[in-house]
Every structure is written in C-alpha cells, then in structure tokens.
Amino acid sequence: MLPARFDYQRPETLEEALFLLDRYGEDGKILAGGQSLIPLMKLRFASPAYLVDINRIPGLGDIKESGGKLVLGALARHNEIADSDVITARYPLVASAAPQISDPIVRNLGTVGGSLSHADPAGDWGSVMLALGAEVVVRSSSGDRTLVIDDFLRDTFTTDLRPNELLVEVRVPAPSPHSGGAYLKLERKVGDFATVGVAVQLALNDGHVATAGIGLTAVGPKNLRARDAEESLAGAEPGDAAFAKAARLAAAAAQPQSDVRGSADYKRHVVEVFVRRGLARANQMAKA
Amino acid sequence: MATEATEIRGVGHSVKRKEDDRFIRGKGTYVDDVKLPGMLHMAILRSPFAHARIRSIDTSKAGALPGVIAVVTGELMAQHKLAWMPTISADTQAVLATDKVRFQGQEVAAVVAEDPYIAKDALELIEVDYEPLEAVVTPQRALEAGAPVIRDDKEDQKDNHIFHWESGDKEATDKAFAQADLTVSLDTFYPRSHPAPLETCGCVADLNPATGQATIWMTSQAPHAIRTVFALVAGLPEENIRIISPDIGGGFGNKVPVYPGYVVATAASLLLGRPVKWIEERSENLISTGFARDFYMKGELALKRDGTMLGLRASLLADEGAFHADAQPSKLKVGLFHIVTGSYDFPAAHVVADGAYTNKAPGGVAYRCSFRVTEASYLIERLVQNAAYELGMDPADLRLKNFIKPDQFPYRSATGFVYDSGDYHRAAKLAMEKLGYDELRKEQERARDEGKLLGVGMASFTEIVGAGPSADYDILGLKMNDGAELRIHPTGKAILKLSVQTQGQGHETTFAQIVAEELGIQPEDVKVMHGDTDNTPYGLGTYASRSTPVSGAATAMVSRKVREKATKIAAHLLEVAEEDVQFEKGRFFVKGAPDRAKTIQDVAFAAYTNFPAGTEAGLEGVHYYDPPNLTFPFGTYLVAVEVDPDTGEWNVRRVVAVDDCGVRINPMIVEGQLHGGLTEGFGIAKMQLITFDEAGNCIGSNFMDYLLPTAWETPRFELGETVTPSPHHPIGAKGVGESATVGSPAAFVNAVIDALAHLGVRNIDMPLTSSKVWEAIQQSSAGAPAG
Ligand SMILES: Cc1cc2nc3c(=O)[nH]c(=O)nc-3n(C[C@H](O)[C@H](O)[C@H](O)COP(=O)(O)OP(=O)(O)OC[C@H]3O[C@@H](n4cnc5c(N)ncnc54)[C@H](O)[C@@H]3O)c2cc1C
C-alpha cells in the first residue's frame, strides 16, 4: 500500500490554497479528511503530483445557522456534525445520517465537503443534501459560485468543480415547523458503504404534505433524487397509502446493479421498504 | 527448610498473558521490525489475468530506474532451478511464472531496490505481454470435457482432476440406505474464505556469501518444517539455515505454507549478497496466499421414522486453485474430512471426494481448523438440522437421540477414528438450559403467529485435533511429532524451548503453567522460547489445534523427566532413599515427615553445586512426543436470531457456547480463543467471501470487500463448559484453538434457516447476506409473509 511520489503543501489561508490550486491545475488535489483520497493513492488508483492540505485553514469547518440556513463549513467532520447541538435539535435527517457513516475512525477525519466533492454514488451525504434541497458554495481565485446540489453532483465521482475550485460550504434550508426526516441505511457491517441508503425529508402543512425530499444512495450512477415520488406526495394526505405509492415510485427511480452486496431486485425492494419506513418516521416527527 | 505455602499457578489458573506486556507497549518484534544493515526491499509483480500465456517480459525500463538493484524473473529463477517449488501436498507450484499465469495475483517478477517505494514504482515499468486464455473459475467447469487444461506444465496431467479419495464402507452404507424409512439430503457450498491475519506474510532473508549462513526471519507457523523444505528445495545445507519466526501477528493457517515471496527473497539475497526484505501488502495477502474451504458438498442421511440414524453419505468437490497446495497430512487427500459423522452414532458411512484445479489462488489451508473438520462439521450439523424438519422432530431431540453415548467411548467411528472421550448429552443439555431452549421455542411459535421470524440454531460439533500419531500422520514424510526442551538453572528459574510457534495463542503463558503444574516453578519463572530453529527442538509447528495436544504433552513429559532426576537429588539432600521422597507442588519431602523437605529451587541449586556422586550435573531434558491418538474436543453452540421479513436482515439475539476441551490450562485464554473463534464463525456465516467473476478476477481483495466483523456488530457470547479429560493426554487437555470456528458457522446458519423453516427454506449458502435471505423468503413456498 505505497503511494506514488507526491509533493505536499499545507496552506494556512484560503487565499493561499486558491493560489496553489491555480498554480497546480490538473496536477493538484485538495486533501481534506483523506478518507477517500489516501486509500485511492495507496492503491495507486490516484497519483496526484501535488496535495494541497486544507486542514489548517481557519474557520473552514464551522457549523452554524445563519440567514435561515444551516451552514456547514467544508471541513466539518462527520463526527462534529453528529455531535452538533444545533443539528440534533433542528435537522433530524442530518443528525440521523452522520453517525451512520462508516465507523468512528473515519468519522473523526472525514468531512462533508470532501464527501460531496468525491461524489461517490455510495456516499451518504449526497442523498441527504438532495432530500434537503441544499446548496453548495464553491470558490476560486476568480470568485464564488453557488450551485444547487442537484447541479453539483454530476455523475459517478464527478462534480461540477473545476480543478482550481474549492468547495467552501454547504447550505441547508432550515426545515419548517411541522417537518421530520430520517436516514435509513442497510450495510453489511459497521464501516461499510451502503448496500442501499434512503434519505427522507417531509414537511406538513394543514394536515397535508407540503414538500417531500427523497434521496437514494448506492442505487445508481450517483446519488439520486426520487422526483416522481416527491411529487406524488406534494399535497397528499400523509399516511400508508400515499407513502406506499411514493415508495413504489422511488423504487422505480432506482437504478441498482447486482453485486456481492445484493441483487438489483433486492436493492430496489429495500428502497421501497426504506422509503415507506422513512416517510412513516418523518411523519411521526412532523406531527409531534 | 520449610517453605511458605504460596499457591502454584499451574493448570486451571487464569494467569495473565506474559506476552501481552510487550504487545501492549508496542515492544513486540514482528518480521517487518527487523532492519539489517544494507538491507534491500523486494516487491512482487502479479498477474492481472487469471489464465494467460506469457509471450514476453521486458524488464529493461524497470532495471534502469535509479535505486533498482535487480529485477528477478522466472527465467532467472529457472537458471537456478528455482522457478518451481514443491507444495505441502506434493504438487509443484510456480515460484515466478515462466510459461503461463494460472491465477490472478500469481507471482510474475520481482524487483529488488534500495527502498520499498522505488521497488513499487519499478513494478509499473515491467512490461509483460500476455495472451489471455479462458479462465476456469469453478471446479464443475474444470472437470468438464474440453475445459482448458490448467496444469499443462505437468506431463501426465491431461485434465484438471487432481485426486479421488474415499473413506468408510460403501457397501454397508448402501445397505443402510436401502433399509431407511426416510432419506434427507443437502447440497451446500462452503465458500472460499481467507484467514486474513492482521500481519501479512513476509520475510527478511540474509544469506552471508562468506559463511554460507542463511538466516531468514519469516512469518511462519512452522519454522522447522520450513527449514527442512528450504534445505530440500534450495539444496542448502540444513545446519546453515536458520529460520526465525519472531512475534507473529496472527496465522490461522495462512502462515503454514511456503510462499513464492520467501523463495524469491532468499534467492535474491543469495545472488546479491545483501539482506532482502519482502513484506506483502494487504491485497497481496488476500489474493495470493492460502485461502480456506471452497468445498461443494452433498450429504445424505438414512433414517428410521423414529429418527434413528442408519447411515451417512458425503460427497464433495474441492476447488484447489491452480496448484494443489493444501496443508494436510500426506496420506489424507481431504484432510480429516471423514470426521463428518460428527457427534452421532452412525453404523455406516461413506465419503467420496474429488479435487480439481481452477484458475484461482492455491493453498487450501486449514483456516483455524484441523484439516477440513470445519467443512465436515458444517455439513453434518446443517444436515441433521434439516433432517429434523423432515421428521417433524425438534432438532435438539434428534441430536440427543443419536449422540454417541458416554459409555461408548473410546468410540470407533464408521470412518475409522477412535474418539478418545466425550459426553455430548451433558454439553448439549447445559447449553439448552443456559439458553432457555424450550421457552424460546414457545416464543418462536408466538412470533410466527404475528408474522415475525425468530430462529434457534444448534450445532453439536466434534473436533479432531492434535495430529498426530506417527503411524498415520506425516507431512512430506515428516512425522507430526513435536518436542519440548526444559532446562532449570541453578537459581531455580527455567527455560522451556518449544518446537511449536505461537501466533497469539499465549504459549508463553500456558506452557509455563504446564511446567508450573508438574514442577512447582511459578509460571513467571519459566521463560518460554520458540520460533528459532537454531535454538528450539524440532517439530512441525502450530496449526490444527495441535500445540497443546502434542507440544503441551511433550512439555508435561519433559517436566516429569526432569522431576525424576530432581527426586534423586532431593533424596541425596534429604539423606533418604529415593523411594522415600514424595513430590507435591514444588516440594520434595520425606514420606511421613512432610516437614523434612527441599524445594525445587533447592534441588536446582544442588544440581549444579551438590549433586550425588555418579550423577551428571545439571537439571534438564528434552522430549519428543508421539501422540497415541488424536484428541476430540466437542461442544454445543446455540444461536437465536431475529430475521426482518421485509429486508432479510438478521440480528443475533443470543449465542450460547458450551465447550468441552478437556482440562483447561488457562481458563481465561481458553475463553479468549473461543471469543475469537466465535467471531470468525460469525463473520464467515454472515459476511465473508472471496469470490471471482467469470474472468477469474478476485472480488474480495481488500477489507472494504472482504469483511471482518468488528466489535460493533459481533454479538455477545455466553460461554459454558464441561470437562471430559482426554484419557491419553498427560494432563487431560484436548486443544481449543479452533473449536469455535469449526462449530459456530453451522449454528449461525441453522438459526437463520430455523427462522424460515416453516416457509420451506432448507438452505442458503454462506455468507448469509440479507439479500440472499430475502430471496430465499421470496422463493419459499409461502412467498413473502406479511410485514
Ligand atoms: C473505511 C471507510 C468507510 C467509509 N464509509 C463511508 C460511508 O459509509 N458513507 C460515506 O458517505 N462515506 C464513507 N467513507 C468516505 C468518507 O466519508 C470520506 O470522509 C469522504 O468520502 C471524503 O471526505 P474526506 O474529507 O476524507 O475527503 P478526502 O479524502 O480528503 O478527499 C476526497 C476528494 O474530494 C476532494 N476534496 C476534498 N475536500 C474538498 C473541498 N473542500 N473542495 C473541493 N474538493 C475537495 C479531494 O481532492 C478528493 O478528490 C468511508 C471511508 C472509509 C475509509
């Protein structure tokens, strides 16, 4: 497990980091938690000539609420998110997903920004952010761009990021008062990527569904939004019938493949079961 | 000189492990910790193809990389007659491929460089021109007419068939089946798994060109046997070969074979005159070194309507990979698989086995298993459980009805083993009581009524360990006997040297306790040494739970030899006749006058200062133990699971494990061994799999794909014990290192099957992923239950 030769820089400021990214272009790679990049380098699937370690940049990992949004700094670690009081109190979907990512060792280092930038279709944060309708802010020496998560996650391990851009923060709209959310994950053991993951967010208004967000993990080329399912719920009366219908539509939207984790049929079925269960759970919270 | 009555912490004491101090403080010495002046580093280029002809290998670019000292190919090895080596199953294995590659991950070339990074970089510069051939990935395909012949290097090999082997009495078994009211059969596959020790394999080879001395630090469970093999393969004089197995980070059978990397590193050191280190990467360990299992098995039971077992047939097809490199006694082609009659009193049994070459990694090692007893135990325990469903009996009742009875021991099995001792009913009943078996069965009924799935799995295994008696057991002609050498120094402290090699079993503690028991020297005063062929007696090493049965017995015997001499010296010191001296717990005293005594320490001092005329100075001895029989540990494991009918996920609710391994030397270490083995059994049943796609690509080549259970998902274990001593072992011990890996997979699988049995489900091949469980429910007669 020995990586190829690389050079290493550890900028102390964001400006310095952006300068280095400009300079290295395609040859440079940002190092955040290293929980995806380092294994790839050790397997020699990736051999970047330069690593730009952003871990010492102050403030890049802050977690705060501002302007009606939850703002997660790119360097916010999975564990910090799991432990955040703001999140536990107001963002149940985020709170339930964080502790289900891998194991404590990975969670201590892995970051939300790194996870989204890595764009692994089996990564959990992508589905969570899809269900929540989050935005990401990316920055380069020429300025900021704000993208909705759907546009950011383009394909398998592919985002809209340019080589000189750095994801700086993720913005999650604050949920309305009558809402709930949950992340359901099937894994073979602790530390394993999802066989299937489902993120569900539900907001009620006057006894009807106002909005619903459903993101699917590990059942397609990227994290998928189950749009038909979401739309079927809008305005519907929350309950078994509407949830079962949405679950069927979400299963239909999944594009799973058979592998050692399970057959495609099985994964599709689990999407259906999890969407149904997730909606029921979210509905309980929303009504409470 | 009267002594204080301090308790001797011999057999039966949970003495803390002496070795843990250095491990916990990071002061152990593993092979990778060995650093010699001028040492070079080796990396191995491996085949990306499962089956391909090598057209050419161009090493010029790799050789030109600064820091590269040498690039070794099969051609170079062939010039030194080292391109092929013998396996422990008397086949041949390519050291570096010359003609073809025969599995993905096979060794093709090696780079020796100034540092390991350069060696790795240079691998990418070696250009190999391959002509891909059809990969044979199942033994069924391998045995079809027209399948590509994998071993075209062997002149007489015209197909992929390796061996046919039978045991038991076919005629008697056929007769039993003809008389049966009912026959039950089970087709099942015990998939390929891997021991995956935390420390991968490796060596540091240091051949001194001036003296001809070869010193090789090696991750080996069997350093003495390896030394002999090296002498035979490389033609080096055996007295000049010193194999040192320092601290070993887990073996589980993976570190028994000789691997090509050892041979190439040794050859490279010989050619270059400098020490060469080779340490495997994780993926290399998983894709190329000794795997385990990979048995397709069919079992058939002949039964009377009342559940009486009349006969057993077992047939199996073994996937051996590209080279037949099983670790097993020479005379036995599928090891001890014919123990498949298990804990039951079968009048007749017949076993048929065939082995085939495939384009997969070689080396069916006994992963924490005594030579294939794991597969055998799995087959019989799964089959018996299924038979109960067909009979409409409770699986526990069917077992209790057919167990060999306590008064039948020593018991001769239908395939010819003589079981030393056992009380299967007692262990099973204790386990059932601890679990609350009857209550759980009632709860299961209620749960089913509510559409919930609850299952109870049972496995009552019989292990077979301690190979073995010289008449029947050898490896490449070397009798499976082991030695122990004991020397007591003047101050009464001892050194015990063993031929076996600990890899985490705690030998430094338990073997010291055996000496403590026999001689009354406290375990902390007995230093246990092993793993250095220059400094320990000969023996075949540690695997197959043989250390305690063989070397442990040798330790007791040598202690007794030393005690005999000590008694003579004590008599001299006490000025009485030898017959008047009695020994107890470290004290020699005059019969009838227990106050007139000398301690073992007094005697040890006298052995060098004041020994009787006509006696040699010193207090030491050596013993090689030839076990009169194998030992047969046993036990009953019970597992309760809940299955989610919607997703097929299953969770373990309880695990009760009652083991009888005879006398327990160190109960704490025994429990540690059981916890480890149960965890491995759980992993095998639930998540572990080395599998291959149609092209022979190995899936399961890293720990993201090949799953090891963590403390998180591993269930809690509730242990229990019964003690039925081995009548032929000097201290009545039987060995316990493998019981739990042998016995537990069937218990976990039986539990899941039991949860689904009422739906008609009778088999799911391991690992029981939630996907497979769900599919079994879908395909069952009842289809998906409401949920
Ligand atoms: C054993 C194991 C199990 C895992 N299991 C899971 C799991 O179950 N679920 C899950 O979701 N994840 C899992 N992961 C991945 C883990 O969550 C990673 O932390 C995450 O994918 C990447 O985050 P990181 O901070 O470690 O990024 P790094 O590894 O440092 O970087 C990943 C990629 O993103 C780029 N990058 C990083 N930060 C930025 C940024 N701010 N702007 C632009 N580009 C950036 C890097 O250049 C690199 O290409 C697992 C990882 C391991 C090792």
Side-chain angles (χ1 to χ4, degrees), chain A residues 21 28-40 54-55 60 74-75 77-78 100-103 106-107 109-120 122-126 152 161 165-168 185 187 191-194 217, chain B residues 704:
Chain A
L21 290 179
K29 268 265 169 225
I30 294 169
L31 177 70
Q35 297 305 293
S36 295
L37 184 55
I38 300 288
L40 288 177
I54 59 172
N55 284 282
L60 201 54
L75 273 186
R77 319 273 164 188
H78 309 322
Q100 295 190 63
I101 296 173
S102 191
D103 55 33
V106 170
R107 289 200 293 274
L109 282 165
T111 66
V112 66
S115 180
L116 292 173
S117 303
H118 189 53
D120 186 337
D124 298 304
W125 282 132
F152 180 76
L161 278 169
E165 279 178 332
L166 198 147
L167 191 160
V168 283
K185 179 173 178 177
E187 57 184 12
D192 190 22
F193 280 93
T217 307
Chain B
M704 291 302 288

Side-chain angles (χ1 to χ4, degrees), chain A:
Chain A
M1 298 297 187
L2 304 176
R5 175 179 285 278
F6 61 90
D7 255 336
Y8 172 85
Q9 297 279 353
R10 198 178 64 204
E12 305 281 336
T13 66
L14 199 49
E15 292 66 39
E16 202 187 326
L18 296 175
F19 169 79
L20 291 169
L21 290 179
D22 273 335
R23 182 152 114 196
Y24 299 144
E26 301 276 359
D27 294 336
K29 268 265 169 225
I30 294 169
L31 177 70
Q35 297 305 293
S36 295
L37 184 55
I38 300 288
L40 288 177
M41 289 171 63
K42 285 185 159 192
L43 292 165
R44 297 199 176 205
F45 291 150
S47 322
Y50 300 94
L51 286 189
V52 179
D53 179 347
I54 59 172
N55 284 282
R56 297 292 171 98
I57 297 175
L60 201 54
D62 290 355
I63 299 173
K64 56 178 187 269
E65 268 188 312
S66 104
K69 289 193 167 148
L70 170 70
V71 180
L72 300 171
L75 273 186
R77 319 273 164 188
H78 309 322
N79 250 355
E80 291 168 348
I81 295 174
D83 292 346
S84 152
D85 292 338
V86 179
I87 291 172
T88 314
R90 301 240 293 150
Y91 299 86
L93 170 52
V94 178
S96 79
Q100 295 190 63
I101 296 173
S102 191
D103 55 33
I105 303 161
V106 170
R107 289 200 293 274
N108 277 335
L109 282 165
T111 66
V112 66
S115 180
L116 292 173
S117 303
H118 189 53
D120 186 337
D124 298 304
W125 282 132
S127 301
V128 171
M129 298 308 164
L130 283 168
L132 290 166
E135 294 170 343
V136 297
V137 179
V138 303
R139 185 168 300 168
S140 70
S141 55
S142 41
D144 281 4
R145 296 195 293 146
T146 303
L147 297 142
V148 292
I149 187 72
D150 308 65
D151 293 340
F152 180 76
L153 299 174
R154 299 247 307 243
D155 205 344
T156 313
F157 300 115
T158 310
T159 65
D160 203 52
L161 278 169
R162 295 165 196 153
N164 69 338
E165 279 178 332
L166 198 147
L167 191 160
V168 283
E169 62 187 38
V170 186
R171 295 182 181 159
V172 179
S176 61
H178 300 290
S179 65
Y183 192 69
L184 289 82
K185 179 173 178 177
L186 178 75
E187 57 184 12
R188 298 171 299 175
K189 64 165 236 182
V190 168
D192 190 22
F193 280 93
T195 300
V196 171
V198 169
V200 167
Q201 180 71 19
L202 193 71
L204 303 183
N205 189 10
D206 265 353
H208 288 266
V209 176
T211 56
I214 299 173
L216 309 179
T217 307
V219 288
K222 57 178 184 169
N223 296 109
L224 300 177
R225 176 192 288 284
R227 210 174 283 281
D228 290 347
E230 290 174 356
E231 281 166 9
S232 81
L233 286 163
E237 199 173 315
D240 290 350
F243 297 164
K245 182 175 174 203
R248 277 195 303 277
L249 289 168
Q255 307 161 34
Q257 288 190 343
S258 296
D259 58 22
V260 287
R261 285 187 164 81
S263 65
D265 281 350
Y266 172 68
K267 292 180 187 179
R268 197 183 294 283
H269 169 77
V270 173
V271 169
E272 184 173 341
V273 173
F274 278 9
V275 170
R276 211 171 56 220
R277 288 182 184 174
L279 286 169
R281 206 178 296 169
N283 186 39
Q284 288 292 325
M285 287 182 207
K287 287 198 300 199

